[in-house]
Amino acid sequence: MPSLATDKNGRRAILYLLTPTSTRHFIPSTLTTLAASAQKARDLGTSKKDPAVRRKELLSYASPGLLEVVADKGGELVRDPGAGLLIQEIMLSTEGGESTIPRTRVPH
């Protein structure tokens, strides 16, 4: 995850999990393309699960690892503006948030 956080394309993959329809992180044409792809997947029946349920499951699985990276590498990552924004979204969008990071590991 630290290498993804410092790569602009890697960040996009993580941000899509955290905030899939955010105009803050994705330009309108990208959101249109992503919506079209999601609709096509629904039409083809590539998953039996509702997209919202699937996203919630993925987010609950990814949250502990994302929060651990913030705790371990947060001080280093905030020096990169894009990675700093990613850390903000991780703290706002993951399950558990700051309450799951031991106080001694919260980056300052």
Side-chain angles (χ1 to χ4, degrees):
M1 185 357 225
S3 62
L4 289 175
T6 57
D7 177 78
K8 74 175 187 173
N9 292 317
R11 279 193 296 267
R12 287 180 183 149
I14 299 167
L15 287 169
Y16 185 67
L17 171 64
L18 298 172
T19 59
T21 58
S22 172
T23 56
R24 179 177 183 186
H25 302 295
F26 301 102
I27 60 174
S29 61
T30 300
L31 291 173
T32 301
T33 301
L34 290 169
S37 294
Q39 184 60 48
K40 187 172 183 177
R42 281 191 294 278
D43 293 346
L44 293 173
T46 58
S47 177
K48 294 179 183 177
K49 290 185 181 180
D50 178 80
V53 171
R54 185 174 56 245
R55 180 180 172 276
K56 183 176 169 103
E57 288 175 352
L58 287 170
L59 192 56
S60 68
Y61 179 77
S63 289
L66 292 170
L67 291 168
E68 185 175 328
V69 168
V70 170
D72 292 343
K73 304 279 187 186
E76 178 184 323
L77 293 173
V78 295
R79 290 178 182 89
D80 175 325
L85 285 173
L86 178 63
I87 287 174
Q88 178 183 4
E89 291 299 344
I90 289 170
M91 296 306 295
L92 291 172
S93 302
T94 54
E95 294 182 5
E98 187 176 337
S99 64
T100 63
I101 299 175
R103 281 312 222 178
T104 57
R105 294 176 61 196
V106 175
H108 292 45

